[in-house]
Every structure is written in structure tokens, then in C-alpha cells.
Amino acid sequence: MPTPLTHDDPVALGPYRLIARLGSGGMGTVYVARSAGGRTVALKTMHAGIAADPAARVRFRLEVDAARVIGDRFGARVMDADPLAETPWLATEYVLGPALDEAVEAGGPLPEQSVRALGAGLCSALGQLHRSDVVHRDLKPSNILVTAYGPKVIDFGIARAIGDDRLTRAGAAVGTPAFMSPEQATGQEHDAAGDVFALAGVLVYAATGHGPFGSGQAADLLYRVRYAEADLGGVPAALVPLLARCLAKEPGERPTTAQLASRLHDGVGEFADHLPDWLLADIARRAADVWRVVPQRLPAPAVEAGPSEVTAPPARRGRSRRGFLAGAGAVAVTAAVGGGIWSYRRRDTTPPAKEPRQTRNIAPLWQYGGRGSLEMDWWGLIRPYRANGSIWLPMNATVKRLDPSDGRSRQLLFEGNWWQAAAVNDRLYLLGQDFDGQGRSMAIVTWDEEQSYARRTSTRLADAAYVIKPNQLLCISDDVVYVAAGYGKEAEDYGFLPSQTWTLRAADLKTGKTLWTKPLPKRPARSHRLHFLAAKVVGGRLVTLQEVADKKVHLVVRDTGSGSVLWDTPYDVEDIDSLRSEIAADGSRVYVGGDRLRALRLSDGSQVWATESGRRYSPPTLKKGVLYTVGKGVGLTAVDPERGTRLWTEATTEAEEAYTGWQPVIGNRYAYYKNGFQLRAVSLTAHDIALTYQTDAVQFHADTRSGLVLGVDDDFLSAYPLT
């Protein structure tokens, strides 16, 4: 796990700022580091003394080459490297998973299915190397990282081309004794068969917690590797014959990686499906923890100040001149030492110099929640609402009220669901029970701040059953509320029933009258997909993203006066829940993302403009006459909404992980969107990355009154400054 930097570790190497240490050995040190754009990497360096050896530098360059050969599927992706620097360094992706030895030490031996899947993955990794005529030569548990997507092989410090012995002294054994092949133990040629031998040793360790030749002194291990039979005690019986063949003393008797892979695993299922729960939990924890690493540096060791006390000789009556001078000298020495002690203490007690403002990997202002607390069963992540000076979280049995300044819960109030709420003019409205309707009607309720209770308005919806869970409050505009209401029997699983009748209605909040009612399609039993993902009133039109069937979305625009459908067009996106973002529309056009960024006429749905296909775009955000979207591989982009021309694109080379599953949040100075595990704040004037924040959130909402970006994931509501 990461540890603080030492006082003499460099501040940065290349474009990467060092954050923490991952480990240090005889060859060099590995750091956690971050780029200016917030990308976290593992940065490996070589000790200065070793870097002075030209042969060591050649090895380092070969390690970089080998890491590039194996690629990011089976290894850690190489982000950058400088083997010629004064301190040679290699930056790779930060792999989110433990080393195999750490995993086994923490949780014990892996079950057989995990060992088989692990072995098959490692066969593929080694096969990639061997096809490029490269052998690893140091495969061992600490050089294998276990991720949810498969094992990754790292540390190619002694890898080399097959048949190339220019950097190996004749007769020298190079590698780790416990996992060496017999030929490697005698300093002979180590080819692909030698890697297979080491792989078998790794699998024995994974299955039992110990290597096939035990432990002890290097000389003892090398002897056992060459002459003793492997200890396969504890290995699952079905694996013993296969691993014994891999551990044959003669290289020609061992299977190839392809043959071994076919015997280990049939390739069915995802790698994560074969891992034990405790290991998956550890992987998830590490994935979250890495973004919470805060830069720390240990202070330099205190310099000893010398003798702490100097004593003058006893005073005598009638001192001689010599005695006076000696005494004066003693006083002077004491004063000097005393001054030194005072100065040292002064440095300790004086407040440290103000550190530069942190601009990367900043922690949230506050978080509220707990494990799984914000995932509302089948209905998706909760949506926060800003009203009455608070942040409201409708969470079914209760509606929780949070203080925007610190996230503390003020009260636990009445019941309500996030899809049955709306906030307008700093007031909270919800669908509520009409106690006079005998279960045949619903009411619109609002929070009365003076009386501290949910007060019913005059608006009641007849032939609507409050107990039906998927009832929706779509939006409120100009004192008109739009509701999807169900009538009939409540489903046992709280979802839909084919016997239920569904309607879309508009009702006047002032008069309480229903203005119009339109039928909605029926839903099959056991469906838990709401009728609408989002809705907005603009230009006399009710613009909706409607699931006309499960996972089938249409953009449906209705006349607000009559409820009649003016136009209806399919809307195909990869992530349907991304459409819960606020709809981007003005009095003339509706703007949508997906495989292209498009503008459709509000009047008839005809296309005004569209970008070229081939790039995925997030749902867009319209702010002050500019359309903002996140493009896969390019990051934040600003577009002229009238013509569809690009105004500017974020200045970054790190947009591979740009998140298109939610619209960007736009402030006055910055635009916010998720990239990897960071929330980026991009300057609206300089167009570069101004700030990055730690985040696990996947949906983001603007609370302009509180000046907050509210990020939501399964576990937490996280608050960030909205500037």
C-alpha cells in the first residue's frame, strides 16, 4: 500500500508529480504519481548508483520495450518513459488490484476455479510475449497483479529476447530462486519453456500458499529446483498431473502456453466470475483508495545540535584575568548553544509556510450516505433536490434533509421517492396520498416550512392509486404539474402489472383542476422501468424522454395546452440511464447526444444539424447560449447551438476515460465532468484543466443556490464547489 514520500524523494519526474511510495528495492523505487490532468500512474525509477552502469540502463530500456510488447491487456499500459534521464523512469497505468502474493497472504489459497482462470490468463499474457520472441524470466506471485478483468504481468527488469545472452554472465543464475526453472538455476538458456515452469510454480502458490520447492536459503532452493521433486501437496487433485508436467526438469517435456491454457479453462464467463468475493472486495477497495491518496512527505531527520549543556567552572573570588577570559569564553559557548536550541525550537513552533493551493485530486467538501444507501432498488440512483435552504433526498420511507454547508442530516421527515418529487422556486413538491380519496386518488403535497409538515395542495388526481410505486412527478412549469399516474392493483414486487391503467396528466396547481389526460402504454409484469427518464417544458412544448417499452427510448414532444403528441422519434444510446440528465432545449431546438451530437427542431423534430458519426457524446448541457458536451476521447467540447460548429475543445491529451454517461455541469468559471475517477473542473476561458476532485460518483447535479456540484453513486452523495 502507498506510504509517504521521504524527504529526499524528488518532487516530480518528467510531467508526473510524485504522490506516495509504493515500494523500494535493490534496483529502484516505485511511486504513485499523477499527471497535470489528474491521471494516476505507477512510476518506476532506478537508483542513481545503478543508473551509472551503462548495462543497467540498457536493461531498463529493454524493460520498457518488454512492457510495451505485452500491452495493456495483459500488462500495465506504458504511459511514458525516459530511460536516458539522469534518473531513468517508467510510467505505467496504475493497476487496480493486489499482487498475487498479497492476495494469498491476506485471504488464503484461491479456489480451484480461480486458479484455473488465473492460469489461463497468464498463459495468454506469456503467449503474447513469446510470440514477440521475448521471455519474462522472473515470473513470480509478486509480479502478477490480479484485477477484475484478468491478471496483469509486470516487472520486466530481466526480460530479454529469446537467445540474447549479451546481458547475462555465463553460468550466472538470474531470477528468483523459488520460481526459477532448472535451466535458469544453472545459468543456461531460459526460453519459453522456462516461463511455463515458473508459471506452474505460481499456480502451485496460488492454490496452496507455498511454492513448489518450499522456502529457505537461495542455495537450498536452487538445489531443489534442479534435483528435487516438486511439492504438490494441497494442490487440487485435478490440477496435479497438469502442473507436474509443467514442472518437468526437461524443458521439452513441458506443454506450451496454448496447450496449458486449453487444459486449464474453457474460456466461459468473465474472469471476475471465477474470483472469490473477498478478493473482489479487495480489488474494489483498492480502486477507491488510490484516488484518496493525499500527497505526504516525511520531514528530514533532525540534525543533532551537539552538547545540550556547557557548564562553566565554579566561580572564584578575585578571578584572575585568565579566569575571567575563561569564564567569558564559557558564557559565550553557552550562549551559542542556547541560541542554537532556541532557534531549533522556534522552527518547531512557528506555523509552517503556507503550502501552494492544492489543485489536483482534491477531496469532496463533504459526503453523506453509506454502503448502498443511495441505490433505490430497481429505480436507480437517488436524485437530490434543493429547496427551503436545504438539500432533500427522497428515500422512500423517509425524506432526508441535509445542510448544504456540511452535509449533516437535519431531520427525517415524511415518505417520498426521488422520481415523485420536484423543486421549483426553492419549494419542494411531491406526490402524496389523498386521505379523502379512499385509495382512488393522489394529491400534490408541498413542504410547509413554517408549520414543518407536508401540506396537501388543492390539486388532486382522480383515478390514480398512490400505492403504485412507479407513479411519477415529471416536472412543474408555470404552476402546471405533469404526472404519470397509474390506477389499479399494486404489484407484489412494487413494479407494473398489465392490468394497470396509465395516463399522462397536466394539472393546475392554483385551481387544482386537471387540464388534460392522455393514455400511456401498459407495462409488462415485473418491469421496473419508469415511463419517463426526463421531462422539460420549453416554448409551449412538453419535451420528454419516454421509455415506450423496456429499454426502448423515444424523444416525444407534446403540446402543453392539449397534451397531443406533436412529434416522436427514437433515441438510441448505450446507457439509457444517462438520459436522466436534464434535457437540453431552447425555444427553437432540442439537443441530444449519442453516436452523434444533434439539434432537432422543437416544432417538428426535423434535424437542424448533426456532427459526424464515429464519436460518442454525452447528453449535452445548454448554458448562456453555448452547448457543452463530453466527447469520448476528446473531453469537454463547446458548440454553437445554432450552427453546430465547434467553438473550442478542452486542452488535454488525457481524455480516453472521458465519461459520457452524464451531462457536464456548467458553472460561471468552470465546467465539470467526470474523467476516470476524477471530477474535472475545466476553465471556461483558458479551456484547460483547472482543478480535479476525487470522485466515485456517476451522476452529477448542480445546486446553484448552494454553489455545489452534487455527485451521486451507490453509496454516497458527495459535494464539490460549483464555481
Side-chain angles (χ1 to χ4, degrees):
M1 298 302 291
T3 58
L5 299 170
T6 63
H7 72 283
D8 55 353
D9 280 328
V11 174
L13 286 169
Y16 298 97
R17 179 190 177 200
L18 304 189
I19 302 298
R21 281 186 166 219
L22 278 176
S24 185
M27 297 295 291
T29 302
V30 182
Y31 299 96
V32 181
R34 288 199 179 96
S35 69
R39 181 191 295 279
T40 299
V41 300
L43 193 144
K44 182 175 183 177
T45 65
M46 181 182 287
H47 290 320
I50 297 174
D53 180 2
R57 282 184 174 268
V58 173
R59 287 189 190 279
F60 194 85
R61 179 180 58 77
L62 292 176
E63 177 176 3
V64 174
D65 293 342
R68 287 190 168 119
V69 165
I70 200 168
D72 56 2
R73 180 180 176 188
F74 303 119
R77 178 184 178 189
V78 175
M79 311 306 301
D80 202 353
D82 190 353
L84 302 179
E86 181 179 358
T87 300
W89 56 268
L90 163 65
T92 68
E93 68 170 305
Y94 189 96
V95 178
L96 301 177
L100 179 60
D101 60 338
E102 293 180 15
V104 172
E105 287 172 7
L110 302 182
E112 181 179 345
Q113 66 169 2
S114 300
V115 175
R116 287 181 174 275
L118 176 72
L122 291 173
C123 284
S124 298
L126 292 176
Q128 174 79 6
L129 280 178
H130 298 164
R131 285 190 294 274
S132 300
D133 292 330
V134 176
V135 285
H136 191 283
R137 299 205 305 164
D138 196 21
L139 192 69
K140 56 186 177 182
S142 61
N143 284 347
I144 296 164
L145 302 180
V146 184
T147 78
Y149 305 101
K152 287 180 179 273
V153 178
I154 61 169
D155 198 348
F156 298 88
I158 62 172
R160 62 173 173 81
I162 295 174
D164 182 0
D165 60 357
R166 287 172 294 175
L167 292 174
T168 304
R169 290 180 289 110
V174 180
T176 302
F179 297 94
M180 277 186 183
S181 64
E183 56 271 27
Q184 190 177 12
T186 56
Q188 299 175 21
E189 172 68 16
H190 174 103
D191 58 12
D195 279 351
V196 170
F197 188 97
L199 170 56
V202 166
L203 297 183
V204 171
Y205 175 85
T208 66
H210 62 75
F213 300 101
S215 59
Q217 298 295 321
D220 295 334
L221 285 167
L222 291 173
Y223 180 86
R224 291 182 214 137
V225 165
R226 293 171 62 186
Y227 302 112
E229 292 297 320
D231 177 10
L232 300 182
V235 174
L239 289 175
V240 169
L242 182 59
L243 296 184
R245 184 182 167 198
C246 296
L247 292 167
K249 303 300 183 187
E250 292 298 325
E253 297 177 7
R254 301 169 200 155
T256 65
T257 54
Q259 292 168 338
L260 178 57
S262 66
R263 296 282 304 277
L264 282 171
H265 196 258
D266 58 8
V268 175
E270 298 292 334
F271 181 75
D273 297 337
H274 305 291
L275 297 182
D277 291 342
W278 60 263
L279 183 49
L280 289 173
D282 185 37
I283 293 171
R285 177 183 59 79
R286 289 169 183 265
D289 286 350
V290 67
W291 310 111
R292 300 189 176 103
V293 177
V294 177
Q296 289 182 309
R297 186 178 292 271
L298 298 174
V303 179
E304 293 187 9
S308 60
E309 182 179 356
V310 178
T311 305
R316 295 181 183 177
R317 187 178 299 175
R319 280 183 180 171
S320 66
R321 179 178 176 84
R322 183 186 299 271
F324 177 81
L325 292 176
V331 171
V333 172
T334 303
V337 174
I341 294 174
W342 174 84
S343 176
Y344 178 76
R345 289 175 179 166
R346 179 69 175 268
R347 284 195 295 269
D348 270 357
T349 56
T350 300
K354 189 174 182 180
E355 293 186 2
R357 176 191 175 211
Q358 184 179 353
T359 61
R360 295 293 183 267
N361 201 43
I362 307 169
L365 296 173
W366 52 259
Q367 290 185 306
Y368 175 85
R371 187 175 181 85
S373 62
L374 301 187
E375 172 68 30
M376 301 300 292
D377 297 324
W378 306 280
W379 312 107
L381 294 178
I382 196 168
R383 183 185 184 95
Y385 295 91
R386 173 58 162 76
N388 301 101
S390 302
I391 296 169
W392 302 75
L393 300 178
M395 302 179 71
N396 192 14
T398 61
V399 177
K400 297 188 178 181
R401 185 176 187 178
L402 308 183
D403 187 330
S405 65
D406 56 17
R408 292 184 182 180
S409 178
R410 290 184 178 179
Q411 300 169 355
L412 301 180
L413 304 164
F414 49 94
E415 63 179 330
N417 295 298
W418 67 261
W419 59 93
Q420 298 172 342
V424 181
N425 297 326
D426 209 34
R427 293 189 68 181
L428 183 70
Y429 295 85
L430 294 105
L431 295 182
Q433 188 170 358
D434 180 12
F435 295 100
D436 299 328
Q438 299 180 339
R440 296 176 178 271
S441 61
M442 286 190 298
I444 305 298
V445 302
T446 186
W447 178 250
D448 189 319
E449 188 71 14
E450 292 184 0
Q451 301 296 324
S452 292
Y453 84 110
R455 175 177 55 81
R456 284 187 299 170
T457 68
S458 61
T459 303
R460 289 169 173 77
L461 304 173
D463 297 326
Y466 171 72
V467 294
I468 294 179
K469 198 86 163 185
N471 290 321
Q472 280 184 269
L473 196 166
L474 274 62
C475 62
I476 298 174
S477 178
D478 295 328
D479 292 318
V480 176
V481 58
Y482 299 87
V483 176
Y487 186 62
K489 184 180 178 181
E490 178 187 12
E492 291 184 1
D493 64 354
Y494 306 109
F496 290 89
L497 289 175
S499 60
Q500 294 169 348
T501 301
W502 283 90
T503 54
L504 175 63
R505 309 184 192 190
D508 192 317
L509 286 175
K510 289 183 176 179
T511 65
K513 294 182 179 180
T514 296
L515 303 177
W516 50 259
T517 300
K518 295 296 179 182
L520 291 173
K522 292 181 179 294
R523 279 280 200 269
R526 302 192 181 282
S527 171
H528 292 90
R529 299 295 305 179
L530 298 171
H531 274 285
F532 295 92
L533 292 157
K536 182 175 186 175
V537 173
V538 60
R541 304 289 187 263
L542 175 64
V543 183
T544 63
L545 292 172
Q546 180 178 343
E547 276 197 52
V548 295
D550 277 15
K551 302 295 183 75
K552 185 178 181 182
V553 181
H554 281 208
L555 181 56
V556 181
V557 176
R558 298 172 182 266
D559 179 78
T560 55
S562 64
S564 300
V565 174
L566 300 177
W567 54 273
D568 176 344
T569 186
Y571 189 0
D572 295 324
V573 293
E574 277 187 350
D575 182 5
I576 289 179
D577 287 339
S578 70
L579 301 183
R580 289 178 176 158
S581 302
E582 182 179 346
I583 294 173
D586 54 28
S588 303
R589 293 169 291 273
V590 181
Y591 306 94
V592 296
D595 60 355
R596 292 184 298 168
L597 186 65
R598 296 182 294 153
L600 308 178
R601 282 192 178 84
L602 183 63
S603 58
D604 58 12
S606 60
Q607 183 171 291
V608 180
W609 55 259
T611 61
E612 294 182 1
S613 60
R615 187 182 304 282
R616 182 153 298 280
Y617 292 94
S618 73
T621 302
L622 186 64
K623 181 75 176 285
K624 295 182 179 179
V626 178
L627 191 68
Y628 299 91
T629 185
V630 178
K632 194 68 176 177
V634 296
L636 185 74
T637 299
V639 176
D640 181 341
E642 291 189 10
R643 301 175 180 82
T645 54
R646 181 173 60 86
L647 300 176
W648 56 267
T649 298
E650 172 190 0
T652 181
T653 58
E654 299 177 0
E656 297 90 345
E657 297 179 90
Y659 179 59
T660 60
W662 201 258
Q663 66 185 164
V665 174
I666 312 301
N668 293 322
R669 292 181 59 192
Y670 304 129
Y672 301 81
Y673 81 96
K674 183 176 182 178
N675 190 303
F677 286 90
Q678 300 277 310
L679 177 66
R680 284 188 179 180
V682 178
S683 170
L684 295 178
T685 53
H687 310 155
D688 58 3
I689 303 166
L691 306 164
T692 66
Y693 297 88
Q694 305 166 15
T695 192
D696 292 319
V698 293
Q699 297 178 6
F700 300 89
H701 307 274
D703 177 359
T704 55
R705 289 178 180 266
S706 303
L708 297 175
V709 176
L710 299 175
V712 184
D713 61 75
D714 289 351
D715 302 326
F716 291 100
L717 174 73
S718 303
Y720 307 91
L722 174 62
T723 307

